[in-house]
């Protein structure tokens, strides 16, 4: 079971973006090219669709289903598709899971609802995941939110119970802090050793990969897939010198996208990077997020140049 799960679901996933037209609707032709290009990159296991980078909190239920349908239709058949689920109401989340399954997803990843930033406990978290997946046979990934996300981030006690749910096969570990990552990795290895731990903090992949990982689900992989795959392969092979070289190219880009304030601009920055690289024609976001200020665009251009992408 463990070997089969790791063989199918382990590895590198790109968390994709969702290109938009001037009226705010999904630009399907551009989305198709984006998904094809990233999924076809060397060493890519699959795609995380409708994640935070894909603006899952802004898209309608129908739009999220459409994104998965398009990916299933245009990506290589071996591409593993994980559908991100972000809904406040557990029964609404269940409907989104059903949509993802019907559209061709291979697994789902349930994000903690944003309201949990005010309050959350183990029973609420467990109930939400159970209800959301009650009518689906899809495997489930958990999302461990960042240490600065307040009560959206699961405490060790909550994570321990969630990891032992029967349909959980992996965790997108986004604590954004290496000591928390190691603590969670050790906890899950103790209570649910079959569950895949995916180091997924773009700013410190090198360190987390060194601690050990079964893969990653990160949005930088939709901008520079060869960087993330290269780092992962080097660390898996124990080639520290090559891994450091990849990390030196990843670091300035990760800091520009994720390490600069305000953090809420991260998805807009990803889109702007793709526009600057000529991979999408428009980097617009859904309101209230507007165009990035000129100084941020210049920062991203500099980071892309430092990474050798421009």
């Amino acid at each position: 079971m463990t070997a089969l799960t790791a063989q199918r679901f382990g590895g590198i996933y790109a968390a994709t973006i969702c290109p938009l037209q001037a009226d705010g609707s999904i630009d399907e032709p551009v989305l198709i090219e984006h998904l094809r290009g990233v999924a076809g990159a060397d060493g890519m296991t699959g795609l995380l669709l409708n994640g935070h980078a894909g603006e899952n909190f802004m898209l309608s239920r129908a739009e999220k289903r459409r994104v998965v349908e398009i990916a299933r239709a245009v990506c290589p058949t071996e591409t593993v598709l994980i559908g991100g689920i972000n809904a406040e109401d557990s029964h609404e989340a269940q409907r989104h899971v059903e949509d993802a399954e019907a559209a061709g997803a291979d697994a789902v990843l349930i994000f903690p609802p944003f309201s949990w930033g005010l309050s959350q406990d183990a029973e609420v978290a467990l109930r939400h995941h159970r209800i959301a997946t009650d009518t689906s046979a899809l495997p489930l990934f958990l999302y461990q939110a960042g240490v600065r996300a307040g009560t959206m981030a699961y405490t060790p006690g909550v994570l321990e119970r969630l990891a032992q749910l029967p349909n959980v096969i992996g965790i997108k570990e986004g604590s954004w802090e290496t000591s928390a990552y190691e603590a969670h990795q050790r906890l899950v290895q103790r209570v649910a050793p079959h569950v895949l731990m995916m180091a997924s903090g773009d700013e410190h992949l090198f360190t987390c990969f060194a601690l050990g990982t079964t893969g990653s689900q990160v949005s930088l992989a939709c901008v520079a897939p060869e960087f993330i795959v290269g780092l992962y392969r080097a660390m898996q092979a124990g080639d520290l010198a090559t891994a450091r070289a990849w990390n030196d190219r990843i670091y300035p880009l990760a800091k520009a996208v994720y390490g600069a304030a305000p953090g809420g601009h991260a998805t807009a920055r990803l889109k702007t990077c793709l526009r600057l690289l000529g991979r999408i024609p428009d980097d617009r976001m859904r309101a209230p997020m507007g165009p990035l200020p000129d100084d941020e665009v210049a920062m991203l251009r500099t980071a892309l140049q430092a990474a050798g992408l421009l």
Side-chain angles (χ1 to χ4, degrees):
M1 171 65 176
T2 305
L4 290 174
T5 300
Q7 184 178 3
R8 184 180 184 203
F9 290 100
I12 301 300
Y13 295 77
T16 56
I17 57 96
C18 187
L20 301 174
Q21 300 189 84
D23 63 359
S25 62
I26 296 175
D27 191 331
E28 292 196 3
V30 175
L31 176 62
I32 288 170
E33 291 307 308
H34 173 62
L35 297 176
R36 276 180 175 158
V38 179
D42 178 51
M44 194 64 61
T45 295
L47 305 178
L48 170 58
L49 308 164
N50 299 325
H52 290 151
E55 297 175 76
N56 62 13
F57 46 92
M58 300 296 287
L59 301 183
S60 70
R61 175 185 167 189
E63 287 173 324
K64 285 185 265 195
R65 175 169 177 153
R66 182 63 181 147
V67 169
V68 179
E69 288 174 343
I70 290 172
R72 187 75 286 161
V74 305
C75 292
T77 55
E78 68 273 15
T79 302
V80 178
L81 301 181
I82 302 175
I85 307 299
N86 194 343
E88 297 289 334
D89 177 275
S90 299
H91 292 284
E92 180 67 9
Q94 182 185 94
R95 290 186 281 271
H96 291 203
V97 170
E98 292 170 349
D99 286 347
E101 184 169 23
D106 299 292
V108 291
L109 187 156
I110 293 183
F111 292 93
F114 288 119
S115 63
W116 291 6
L118 299 174
S119 177
Q120 177 257 120
D121 60 53
E123 295 307 320
V124 167
L126 285 161
R127 190 178 303 118
H128 183 71
H129 286 80
R130 284 172 176 149
I131 292 172
T133 59
D134 184 56
T135 58
S136 171
L138 290 181
L140 170 62
F141 282 85
L142 306 173
Y143 178 71
Q144 179 64 32
V147 294
R148 291 178 292 181
T151 50
M152 284 180 65
Y154 302 128
T155 64
V158 174
L159 183 62
E160 177 174 343
R161 295 180 65 183
L162 286 172
Q164 295 179 79
L165 289 173
N167 54 343
V168 170
I169 62 162
I171 300 171
K172 175 175 162 62
E173 215 295 342
S175 285
W176 233 263
E177 204 254 12
T178 53
S179 64
Y181 173 78
E182 182 172 6
H184 295 151
Q185 181 191 47
R186 290 177 179 273
L187 181 154
V188 172
Q189 181 61 34
R190 175 174 57 82
V191 303
H194 63 283
V195 171
L196 307 178
M197 284 295 287
M198 317 287 276
S200 300
D202 300 69
E203 284 187 83
H204 47 68
L205 290 175
F206 176 82
T207 311
C208 290
F209 283 6
L211 289 167
T213 188
T214 46
S216 190
Q217 301 169 6
V218 286
S219 52
L220 279 185
C222 81
V223 176
E226 67 276 21
F227 289 13
I228 309 303
V229 170
L231 175 64
Y232 181 66
R233 285 174 168 170
M235 291 304 296
Q236 293 295 100
D239 185 351
L240 192 58
T242 299
R244 282 176 170 155
W246 282 117
N247 187 56
D248 285 343
R249 299 185 72 182
I250 292 168
Y251 187 81
L253 189 57
K255 295 301 289 184
V257 173
Y258 289 100
H265 286 190
T267 297
R269 291 168 183 156
L270 289 168
K271 284 188 170 182
T272 296
C273 284
L274 291 170
R275 178 179 63 78
L276 292 171
L277 291 169
R279 297 183 197 163
I280 63 172
D282 197 321
D283 56 4
R284 73 181 63 241
M285 299 274 291
R286 286 248 169 112
M289 188 69 199
L292 291 178
D294 291 342
D295 61 330
E296 288 201 31
V297 175
M299 171 188 70
L300 294 169
R301 188 184 300 277
T302 299
L304 290 168
Q305 291 169 340
L309 292 169
L310 267 183

